[in-house]
Amino acid sequence: MSGTTMVILSAFVAYLLLMIVIGVVYMKKTSSSEDYFLGGRGLNAWVAALSAQASDMSGWLLMGLPGAIYSLGTGQIWIAVGLFIGTVLNWVCISHRLRKYTIAANNSLTITAFFENRFQDKKRILLLLSSIVIVIFFLVYTASALAAGGKLFNTVFGIDYHIALAIGAAVILCYTFMGGFMAVCVTDFVQGTLMLIGLLIVPLVAYFTLSGSLSDLLTQSGAPGGAAAFLNPFENGERPYTFIEIFSQLAWGLGYCGMPHILVRFMAVRDEKELAKSRKVAIVWVLISLVLACVIGVLGRAYLYPMVLSNEGAQYENVYIEMIKKLFMTDYTLPFIGGLLLCGILAA
């Protein structure tokens, strides 16, 4: 490996070790099943908010969304709009009710147990069905999140994709089994902070180092339909979006009402006062993050030119990675910073 690659690798190792240390710390603080599964219902506002949103957005925020904007234009923002609406409705309409009633329903520690206790399902049919649904659909969801980490290691270090997947999964399992729910939430808090820092720094630095006007660079890069269509949220390349297409993208937000890894954060918040603070923090975090992810997709099209990402070689979804490589890895002074920003994808 080159010197630059070794510096980047040291940033990754430091990050992964930090996650494991958090697991060890909270392993010592876990003394009951309620501690392990819900952190003793003691989450503060910031940890609850950032852990919910970081675990929710996953690698899609830093790879999928910027890649979609990069390849197809700002018409893809309707997905982000739908997710923002879903986030707001989830926190406003569900969070406080769920926390209250999971305690009333025999102090339920999981969503499946809540269904069983709330509806007094003596035959445990609801528990069984909801568990099966979660297992089936979260296999796919988890696979997509791990895939982002695998592609990151493969792109940056040239490590075999399958080995990279195994490394990421091993670290996650390690701190989860040791520290339980609180370890997961605290690591998610660190990860959510890291993701936001990366989303703030990368587009800002890229904008001030553009080698020409945004419109001209977009046109030269072959943006679908030209710069005007690319920047028009109601255009899909060379044709207008239909109502059905926009509504279909907005409908992504409907999934929030049933996502157990988010709902369980509501159950674990310390009290109603902390939950009210957490709601505000989460909504602001997700608004800023979604906007900046879309900005990365637009600026990446102009900033990376004459490199043009495609479905072959350097792929659309690697736009965030390629921008960091170009911004921070051209000399020996900034690779560690670049490595930490790339850890944002690993965090997601």
Side-chain angles (χ1 to χ4, degrees), residues 17-208:
L17 287 176
L18 175 62
M19 298 300 101
I20 294 174
V21 167
I22 291 173
V24 172
V25 169
Y26 281 95
M27 178 176 65
K28 297 178 180 179
K29 297 182 179 181
T30 300
S31 59
S32 67
S33 59
E34 186 176 17
D35 287 342
Y36 189 82
F37 288 107
L38 277 185
R41 295 189 190 270
L43 290 189
N44 65 41
W46 285 87
V47 172
L50 266 66
S51 67
Q53 297 314 128
S55 62
D56 160 41
M57 288 301 171
S58 67
W60 176 84
L61 181 66
L62 297 179
M63 296 186 72
L65 180 56
I69 299 290
Y70 179 97
S71 61
L72 299 172
T74 54
Q76 298 298 303
I77 66 168
W78 297 110
I79 299 174
V81 172
L83 293 177
F84 175 70
I85 294 172
T87 299
V88 173
L89 292 176
N90 209 17
W91 280 96
V92 171
C93 300
I94 295 177
S95 61
H96 62 288
R97 292 179 175 87
L98 184 64
R99 186 191 180 278
K100 181 189 300 182
Y101 285 109
T102 51
I103 295 175
N106 199 28
N107 194 31
S108 304
L109 300 183
T110 66
I111 293 295
T112 53
F114 168 67
F115 287 144
E116 180 185 29
N117 295 332
R118 171 68 177 81
F119 297 102
Q120 299 180 7
D121 179 22
K122 303 300 182 182
K123 295 182 179 180
R124 316 198 81 179
I125 295 174
L126 281 176
L127 184 143
L128 177 63
L129 288 178
S130 57
S131 298
I132 291 172
V133 169
I134 289 173
V135 169
I136 292 174
F137 287 96
F138 264 68
L139 279 175
V140 179
Y141 184 89
T142 306
S144 67
L146 290 174
K151 290 182 179 180
L152 172 65
F153 276 105
N154 180 258
T155 301
V156 177
F157 302 114
I159 298 175
D160 180 77
Y161 176 74
H162 299 92
I163 295 176
L165 281 178
I167 294 173
V171 172
I172 293 169
L173 288 172
C174 184
Y175 69 70
T176 301
F177 277 120
M178 287 192 298
F181 182 76
M182 276 303 296
V184 171
C185 288
V186 173
T187 54
D188 282 345
F189 171 78
V190 174
Q191 293 162 351
T193 304
L194 190 57
M195 289 163 67
L196 185 59
I197 291 172
L199 285 166
L200 283 167
I201 291 177
V202 172
L204 188 64
V205 176
Y207 178 77
F208 286 107

Side-chain angles (χ1 to χ4, degrees), residues 156-324:
V156 177
F157 302 114
I159 298 175
D160 180 77
Y161 176 74
H162 299 92
I163 295 176
L165 281 178
I167 294 173
V171 172
I172 293 169
L173 288 172
C174 184
Y175 69 70
T176 301
F177 277 120
M178 287 192 298
F181 182 76
M182 276 303 296
V184 171
C185 288
V186 173
T187 54
D188 282 345
F189 171 78
V190 174
Q191 293 162 351
T193 304
L194 190 57
M195 289 163 67
L196 185 59
I197 291 172
L199 285 166
L200 283 167
I201 291 177
V202 172
L204 188 64
V205 176
Y207 178 77
F208 286 107
T209 55
L210 281 178
S211 57
S213 73
L214 178 63
S215 179
D216 290 344
L217 289 169
L218 287 175
T219 301
Q220 293 169 24
S221 70
F230 186 83
L231 295 173
N232 187 342
F234 296 97
E235 291 284 334
N236 183 10
E238 299 180 357
R239 66 173 179 80
Y241 265 106
T242 65
F243 171 77
I244 295 298
E245 288 175 319
I246 293 177
F247 183 79
S248 296
Q249 293 189 2
L250 289 172
W252 278 45
L254 295 174
Y256 274 90
C257 299
M259 300 178 81
H261 62 308
I262 301 175
L263 299 180
V264 73
R265 264 70 175 186
F266 302 159
M267 297 163 56
V269 178
R270 183 181 303 151
D271 52 44
E272 291 290 331
K273 185 178 179 181
E274 287 295 303
L275 188 59
K277 294 179 185 177
S278 189
R279 183 183 305 124
K280 297 173 184 176
V281 172
I283 291 173
V284 171
W285 186 95
V286 78
L287 175 61
I288 294 173
S289 298
L290 288 171
V291 169
L292 291 174
C294 293
V295 170
I296 286 174
V298 173
L299 288 178
R301 187 99 202 184
Y303 178 75
L304 292 176
Y305 184 79
M307 174 192 286
V308 178
L309 307 181
S310 65
N311 281 327
E312 298 178 2
Q315 298 181 339
Y316 297 136
E317 59 194 14
N318 291 342
V319 56
Y320 180 74
I321 298 174
E322 296 296 337
M323 288 177 73
I324 291 176

